[in-house]
């Protein structure tokens, strides 16, 4: 007997699914595809020709190379594999690059590819946070705006510690949004743990988002005040634990058997926190020589570090903007981060106004407090800090800026049927397009037609958008006009982003945008070293068998020699040349025990500012005969003069 029962066909199964559920499944699939496209596009863009940057900042590249050779150097972030002195930052960034070097062999690619992948992860986390607040479209917009910010393209293809710090800050923001949804102590504790590791990437700068996280949770989390206080306290403990273990490790590890903590005056980690990398940065009281970069690899090889007088548009290329409320909008800061700042501030106002009567636990308000507080607190610190302020420090506010624009824009679009919503949307688009026109005018020689095209089309698209929004029958036209207006208004930032990716960057002051021609040797790295190789010096160091092939003033100079010779080089005085190591007695002991092969003399004739550790220079000159290795003056420490 043949059964009359038959398996349902795909069409039958589809027919049994309610239309609403099918639409929901379709929306989820489209959202996943769109996110996948965004992440793949980010990966391709950021990985494209990434090795054009070579060793990037050789100071950190030397430490990455050292970490790829020696586990203790990796743990502490030492400049050299024999652990004389560390870089002047905590080691999280070095852990990533050093481990990559251990796995794949040290190279430009093994060092820089993880940085680009961090950009992809940051876009995904920012998308996830904003999607939960304002929807998938807003999340996609936030991720795209972040990826198309010039300073992001610069630093996530570079080897400074800022990239991993911002990834961890963004992870903390994502965890906070998850915590806000259901007053989750677990997610808030994860946010605290992420902040602890952000601290271990760049100390206090990594904690700039912490006040905004605490404020958002205390105001918005849907639970009692007592529980909110307990949860914030637990998150603070998680932050303390995730950062504190390394601090305790440095305190318990005998100073005699670990590298000196560069930047400190007493080889103590907390001295770095409160001084060189902390309050001293903000108050402008960096200890001796913070602005003296020391002899470079270039000086050892017959050239010197130069700070050029070339100006990026109308501003000095090293930064150009003094401390004050306009810093992030002007100079090199403006080109790196300023494109969307006016729109972000408008977006914050929009959400505050539209959500003023919402329930306390309103997630959109929470997102505005989180990202708005992050932008305002971090932005004000960057604006008014009196110590050394590299423009690329503004990377730390990029996720907050992109997230705010997306949340505020989504809120204005939600209220497009009202005069306020339409006006807010038009204002955000117009201010972005007009400000992009103004910023591009500061570099008017580069693609002059672009700025006028942005201005003209932004105005036209905004007018068309307002006309379309005036009629309920033009919904599709309004969406097209909105998409066109957003793309054109953001074209200034995007153009500078792609111009940045198209250039090579090296040195300690990398800048964004197109190449700047300069007859004074000023490159895309801002202040940077001469690329000329001194093969005679390299051959000399490569032939040594000492613990350190040479000793030279300054970590950048030592790192450069390490990279070119694949030997360990002692960095006298650390990054600035002013760290109190080694003492003359320690140096003499190392020479006596044949730990150092050569001493490379500072090139005082070329003027490197205030010289440090002159007692060592005088002692070497009095006891050893100088020889020339190419253009460098070198002392063979195995051959006393008497």
């Amino acid at each position: 007997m043949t059964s009359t029962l038959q398996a349902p066909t795909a069409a039958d199964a589809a027919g049994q699914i309610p239309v609403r559920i099918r639409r929901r499944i379709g929306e989820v699939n489209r959202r996943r595809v769109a996110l996948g496209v965004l992440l793949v596009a980010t990966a391709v863009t950021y990985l494209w020709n990434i090795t054009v940057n070579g060793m990037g900042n050789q100071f950190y590249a030397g430490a990455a190379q050292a970490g790829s050779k020696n586990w203790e150097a990796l743990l502490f972030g030492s400049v050299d594999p024999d652990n004389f002195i560390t870089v002047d930052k905590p080691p999280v960034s070095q852990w990533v690059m050093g481990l990559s070097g251990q796995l794949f062999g040290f190279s430009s690619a093994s060092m820089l590819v993880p940085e680009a992948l961090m950009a992809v992860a940051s876009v995904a986390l920012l998308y996830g946070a904003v999607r939960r607040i304002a929807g998938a479209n807003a999340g996609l917009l936030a991720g795209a705006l972040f990826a198309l910010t010039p300073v992001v393209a610069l630093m996530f293809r570079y080897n400074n510690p800022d990239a991993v710090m911002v990834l961890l800050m963004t992870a903390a923001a994502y965890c906070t949004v998850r915590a806000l949804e259901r007053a989750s102590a677990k997610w808030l504790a994860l946010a605290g743990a992420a902040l602890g590791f952000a601290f271990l990437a760049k100390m206090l700068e990594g904690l700039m988002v912490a006040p905004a996280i605490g404020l958002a949770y205390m105001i918005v989390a849907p639970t009692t005040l007592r529980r909110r206080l307990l949860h914030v306290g637990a998150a603070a403990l998680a932050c303390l634990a995730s950062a504190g273990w390394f601090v305790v490790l440095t305190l318990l590890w005998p100073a005699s058997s670990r590298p000196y903590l560069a930047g400190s005056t007493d080889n103590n980690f907390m001295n770095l926190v409160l001084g060189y990398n902390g309050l001293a940065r903000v108050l402008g009281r960096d200890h001796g020589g913070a602005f003296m970069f020391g002899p470079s690899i270039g000086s050892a090889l017959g050239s010197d570090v130069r700070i050029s007088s070339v100006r990026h548009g109308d501003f000095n290329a090293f930064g150009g903007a003094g401390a004050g409320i306009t810093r992030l909008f002007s100079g090199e800061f403006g080109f790196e981060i300023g494109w969307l700042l006016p729109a972000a501030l408008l977006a914050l106002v929009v959400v505050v106004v539209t959500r003023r009567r919402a329930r306390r636990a309103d997630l959109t308000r929470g997102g505005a407090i989180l990202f708005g507080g992050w932008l305002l607190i971090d932005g004000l610190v960057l604006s008014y800090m009196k110590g050394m302020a590299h423009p690329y420090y503004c990377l730390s506010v990029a996720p907050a800026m992109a997230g705010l624009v997306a949340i505020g824009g989504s809120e204005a679009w939600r209220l497009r049927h009202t005069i306020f919503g339409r006006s807010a949307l038009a204002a955000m688009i117009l201010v972005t397009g007009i400000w992009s026109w103004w910023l591009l005018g500061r570099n008017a020689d580069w693609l002059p037609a672009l700025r006028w095209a942005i201005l003209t089309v932004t105005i036209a698209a905004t007018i068309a958008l307002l006309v379309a929004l005036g009629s309920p029958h033009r919904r599709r036209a309004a969406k097209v006009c909105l998409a066109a207006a957003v793309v054109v208004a953001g074209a200034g930032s995007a153009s500078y982003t792609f111009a940045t990716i198209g250039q090579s960057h090296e040195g300690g002051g990398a800048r964004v945008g197109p190449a700047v021609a300069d007859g004074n040797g000023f490159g895309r790295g801002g202040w940077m070293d001469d690329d000329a190789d001194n093969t005679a010096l390299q051959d000399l160091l490569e032939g040594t068998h000492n613990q350190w092939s040479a000793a030279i003033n300054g970590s950048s100079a030592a790192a450069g020699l390490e990279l070119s010779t694949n030997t360990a080089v002692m960095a006298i005085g650390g990054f600035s040349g002013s760290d109190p190591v080694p003492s003359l007695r320690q140096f003499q002991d190392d020479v006596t025990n044949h730990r150092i092969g050569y001493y490379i003399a500072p090139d005082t004739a070329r003027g490197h500012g205030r010289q440090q550790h002159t007692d060592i220079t005088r002692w070497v000159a009095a006891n050893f005969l100088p020889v020339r290795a190419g253009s460098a003056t070198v002392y063979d420490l195995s051959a006393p003069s008497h």
Side-chain angles (χ1 to χ4, degrees):
M1 181 174 180
T2 305
S3 173
T4 59
L5 296 177
Q6 296 181 355
T9 66
D12 294 334
Q16 295 172 4
I17 300 175
V19 174
R20 186 173 59 182
I21 295 178
R22 276 185 286 163
R23 287 178 178 173
R24 176 61 178 164
I25 293 173
E27 289 175 2
V28 171
N29 290 336
R30 284 192 295 271
R31 185 180 73 201
R32 289 174 176 171
V33 169
L35 175 60
V37 170
L38 174 62
L39 296 181
V40 169
T42 302
V44 170
T45 302
Y46 277 60
L47 288 169
W48 178 81
N49 198 26
I50 194 170
T51 55
V52 71
N53 290 333
M55 288 298 154
N57 188 339
Q58 64 182 16
F59 174 57
Y60 294 113
Q65 183 190 52
S68 70
K69 295 179 177 181
N70 181 284
W71 284 102
E72 186 176 338
L74 179 70
L75 175 62
F76 289 105
S78 299
V79 175
D80 67 281
D82 280 303
N83 296 298
F84 174 70
I85 196 168
T86 68
V87 296
D88 61 346
K89 301 291 186 296
V92 162
S93 178
Q94 307 306 317
W95 293 344
V96 176
M97 295 185 292
L99 280 173
S100 178
Q102 291 204 13
L103 290 172
F104 305 107
F106 178 76
S107 66
S108 174
S110 72
M111 180 176 65
L112 297 179
V113 166
E115 304 291 302
L117 296 180
M118 290 180 197
V120 179
S122 298
V123 168
L125 288 167
L126 185 59
Y127 164 83
V130 174
R131 181 186 70 80
R132 291 176 176 275
I133 296 169
N137 290 335
L140 291 170
L141 178 61
L145 292 178
F146 176 78
L148 292 174
T149 300
V151 70
V152 177
L154 175 68
M155 299 313 295
F156 277 93
R157 287 166 52 89
Y158 215 57
N159 58 338
N160 281 25
D162 301 73
V164 69
M165 176 193 73
V166 169
L167 169 63
L168 290 164
M169 294 171 79
T170 308
Y174 171 79
C175 292
T176 301
V177 173
R178 297 294 302 266
L180 289 175
E181 290 178 314
R182 297 184 179 180
S184 170
K186 178 188 73 174
W187 279 107
L188 195 65
L190 288 174
L195 283 183
F197 281 98
F199 173 83
L200 291 182
K202 220 176 173 195
M203 294 197 176
L204 294 184
E205 189 178 0
L207 299 181
M208 287 292 103
V209 66
I213 288 175
L215 184 63
Y217 196 83
M218 288 302 299
I219 293 176
V220 175
T223 188
T224 63
L225 177 60
R226 179 175 176 274
R227 284 185 175 273
R228 278 175 273 161
L229 287 170
L230 288 173
H231 293 177
V232 170
L237 290 175
C239 178
L240 184 64
S242 62
W245 71 269
F246 183 79
V247 179
V248 172
L249 178 70
T250 64
L251 295 174
L252 296 180
W253 198 296
S256 59
S257 62
R258 64 164 169 77
Y260 186 90
L261 301 178
S264 67
T265 58
D266 58 0
N267 203 12
N268 187 296
F269 190 90
M270 293 310 298
N271 180 269
L272 275 174
V273 176
L274 300 175
Y276 181 81
N277 281 326
L279 298 179
R281 276 303 162 117
V282 177
L283 300 176
R285 298 173 184 172
D286 299 9
H287 70 76
F291 289 93
M292 182 266 192
F293 302 107
S296 66
I297 179 63
S299 69
L301 305 180
S303 64
D304 58 298
V305 173
R306 291 175 285 250
I307 298 179
S308 172
S309 61
V310 167
R311 302 170 79 81
H312 193 166
D314 294 331
F315 301 91
N316 184 280
F318 186 66
I325 194 67
T326 61
R327 174 181 271 175
L328 297 186
F329 298 89
S330 56
E332 178 68 15
F333 281 93
F335 286 108
E336 298 202 2
I337 196 67
W339 306 88
L340 296 175
L341 280 178
L345 295 174
L346 275 176
L348 179 58
V349 173
V350 169
V351 178
V352 169
V353 170
T354 59
R355 295 287 176 161
R356 65 189 184 279
R357 295 177 182 172
R359 61 191 180 89
R360 180 184 64 79
D362 179 61
L363 192 57
T364 302
R365 178 198 285 138
I369 295 172
L370 173 63
F371 289 111
W374 180 357
L375 177 65
L376 292 177
I377 294 169
D378 201 346
L380 287 172
V381 171
L382 288 172
S383 295
Y384 284 97
M385 65 183 294
K386 297 178 181 178
M388 183 187 297
H390 288 285
Y392 63 76
Y393 289 174
C394 65
L395 177 68
S396 61
V397 301
M401 179 185 69
L404 262 183
V405 171
I407 294 170
S410 176
E411 186 69 3
W413 177 255
R414 184 182 68 84
L415 298 174
R416 61 190 180 277
H417 61 282
T418 67
I419 294 177
F420 179 82
R422 294 195 293 270
S423 300
L425 199 59
M428 290 176 63
I429 293 170
L430 275 176
V431 75
T432 302
I434 293 172
W435 183 242
S436 295
W437 169 80
W438 179 259
L439 275 177
L440 288 170
R442 295 173 177 174
N443 189 12
D445 294 334
W446 182 69
L447 299 180
L450 176 63
R451 62 189 294 256
W452 292 104
I454 289 174
L455 179 65
T456 304
V457 179
T458 297
I459 293 173
T462 304
I463 293 173
L465 174 64
L466 290 174
V467 171
L469 289 175
S471 170
H473 304 294
R474 299 170 181 164
R475 183 177 302 176
R476 180 170 296 180
K479 291 181 178 179
V480 172
C481 291
L482 175 65
V486 169
V487 169
V488 174
S493 177
S495 67
Y496 245 66
T497 295
F498 287 111
T500 300
I501 290 173
Q503 304 298 327
S504 63
H505 301 87
E506 295 179 287
R511 298 175 297 139
V512 300
V516 179
D518 177 27
N520 294 320
F522 192 80
R524 293 301 309 156
W527 52 269
M528 62 181 293
D529 302 334
D530 196 306
D531 293 331
D533 290 331
N534 186 335
T535 55
L537 179 59
Q538 292 178 13
D539 291 343
L540 204 64
L541 270 56
E542 288 172 353
T544 62
H545 300 283
N546 308 82
Q547 185 173 355
W548 290 282
S549 64
I552 188 172
N553 283 21
S555 294
S556 289
L561 286 171
E562 288 173 359
L563 293 170
S564 62
T565 64
N566 199 31
T567 64
V569 178
M570 177 181 288
I572 297 174
F575 175 67
S576 66
S578 64
D579 290 347
V581 289
S583 67
L584 176 58
R585 178 171 295 182
Q586 290 171 329
F587 186 83
Q588 290 170 333
D589 180 67
D590 287 332
V591 171
T592 301
N593 289 283
H594 307 290
R595 299 189 186 104
I596 309 172
Y598 295 92
Y599 176 76
I600 303 170
D603 193 348
T604 56
R606 295 184 176 270
H608 294 105
R610 182 176 52 186
Q611 293 297 329
Q612 308 289 336
H613 294 278
T614 54
D615 53 346
I616 291 177
T617 303
R618 288 194 299 267
W619 179 78
V620 171
N623 292 277
F624 300 90
L625 292 176
V627 296
R628 297 296 290 179
S631 54
T633 300
V634 180
Y635 294 85
D636 184 349
L637 300 181
S638 66
S641 58
H642 52 77

